[in-house]
Amino acid sequence: MTRLFAIALIALFSLNASAQQADLRKKITVSGTAEMEVTPDIIYLNISLKEYLKDGNSKKKVDITTLETQLYNAVQKAGIAKENLMINNLSSWNYQTTKKKEPDFLASKQYRLKVTDLNKFNLILESIDAKGIASTNIESYDYSKIESLKKELKIKALLAAKEKATYMVEALGDKLGNVLDIQDHGDNVIQPVMYRNYAMKSMAMSDGAESAPEIDFKKIKLSFTVNTVFEIK
């Protein structure tokens, strides 16, 4: 029993000694960064349609179904796949019931449209009754090849770190050894700020404006940083 205890004690001391053994290798810790800006090639837009009264006459109004049909036809004419147009929200959970109880009720619907060309969006809006457009705005942007771009930039960031470590070490007459550790700081994708919306489009067109307002377009910025530890030979 005493012998077993002694063996266990020796093993414990050996483990502690190994754990406390310092890493005497010479090392250098550096970071590398790679950035790029890309123009979004996927745009998600919100379109809000609303019924309106004709010439202020409460008995005659442009039905939401009419406006919706105009929108669907315009999307198809623009060559956009029908699955790229989705209903986002309804102003009434039961339109028919509300319509019977409140004849003057003006229904509205919100749609989400995915486009790759804003010029097509302008054409779509011009094909819809301007008075039936309550508002439109850009919801978000995206880039179709963003995942492959992330990989490319992370590799560039890693190579930038190696280049930095190399010239710093060689400046002291040493040589850069193998990489000992790599820490990825994660994805840093900066979406552009959403600028102007089309809330006033219906008013502008009713006043005789010939074209839709321009949209300020910003790029998506991707920035990646990696921390690395290299051995110094």
Side-chain angles (χ1 to χ4, degrees), residues 44-204:
Y44 293 95
L45 306 122
N46 289 326
I47 304 173
S48 179
L49 301 180
K50 187 174 183 178
E51 296 178 336
Y52 69 92
L53 303 177
K54 290 184 177 180
D55 302 322
N57 188 339
S58 60
K59 294 182 180 180
K60 293 182 179 181
K61 64 181 177 182
V62 176
D63 192 90
I64 192 69
T65 305
T66 300
L67 298 171
E68 188 173 45
T69 300
Q70 291 176 0
L71 175 59
Y72 275 101
N73 290 340
V75 168
Q76 288 184 338
K77 186 177 179 181
I80 299 174
K82 61 181 181 180
E83 56 267 23
N84 287 352
L85 179 65
M86 297 157 283
I87 295 178
N88 253 359
N89 188 29
L90 294 172
S91 63
S92 173
W93 68 274
N94 192 331
Y95 169 61
Q96 294 299 332
T97 301
T98 306
K99 186 176 180 181
K100 289 180 181 179
K101 292 182 178 180
E102 302 177 36
D104 295 335
F105 172 74
L106 298 177
S108 65
K109 283 186 179 182
Q110 287 75 46
Y111 304 84
R112 186 172 187 256
L113 179 64
K114 175 184 175 182
V115 300
T116 57
D117 184 354
L118 281 178
N119 290 325
K120 289 186 177 181
F121 180 50
N122 290 335
L123 293 174
I124 290 171
L125 292 185
E126 291 169 1
S127 300
I128 304 172
D129 187 341
K131 292 183 179 180
I133 301 175
S135 66
T136 69
N137 68 282
I138 296 177
E139 179 183 290
S140 63
Y141 299 116
D142 204 352
Y143 183 64
S144 58
K145 298 179 181 178
I146 198 166
E147 291 304 322
S148 61
L149 189 57
K150 287 179 182 179
K151 180 179 178 180
E152 178 185 337
L153 289 176
K154 287 186 178 183
I155 292 174
K156 286 185 177 181
L158 185 59
L159 293 177
K162 183 179 180 181
E163 182 182 1
K164 184 190 297 185
T166 299
Y167 70 68
M168 292 177 69
V169 168
E170 290 180 350
L172 299 176
D174 294 316
K175 291 185 177 180
L176 192 69
N178 295 327
V179 62
L180 302 177
D181 185 47
I182 299 174
Q183 294 182 356
D184 181 6
H185 281 206
D187 297 349
N188 183 20
V189 181
I190 304 174
Q191 288 280 356
V193 178
M194 305 307 151
Y195 280 91
R196 194 174 300 168
N197 67 27
Y198 281 92
M200 301 302 292
K201 176 176 172 60
S202 58
M203 182 180 295

Side-chain angles (χ1 to χ4, degrees), residues 180-231:
L180 302 177
D181 185 47
I182 299 174
Q183 294 182 356
D184 181 6
H185 281 206
D187 297 349
N188 183 20
V189 181
I190 304 174
Q191 288 280 356
V193 178
M194 305 307 151
Y195 280 91
R196 194 174 300 168
N197 67 27
Y198 281 92
M200 301 302 292
K201 176 176 172 60
S202 58
M203 182 180 295
M205 292 190 70
S206 63
D207 289 340
E210 295 182 357
S211 61
E214 294 181 357
I215 295 179
D216 295 327
F217 211 77
K218 298 294 181 179
K219 292 184 177 182
I220 297 174
K221 182 178 181 180
L222 297 94
S223 177
F224 299 96
T225 301
V226 293
N227 284 343
T228 57
V229 180
F230 290 93
E231 183 180 3

Side-chain angles (χ1 to χ4, degrees), residues 33-46:
T33 301
E35 297 180 341
M36 183 179 290
E37 289 187 346
V38 294
T39 301
D41 58 3
I42 299 175
I43 307 103
Y44 293 95
L45 306 122
N46 289 326

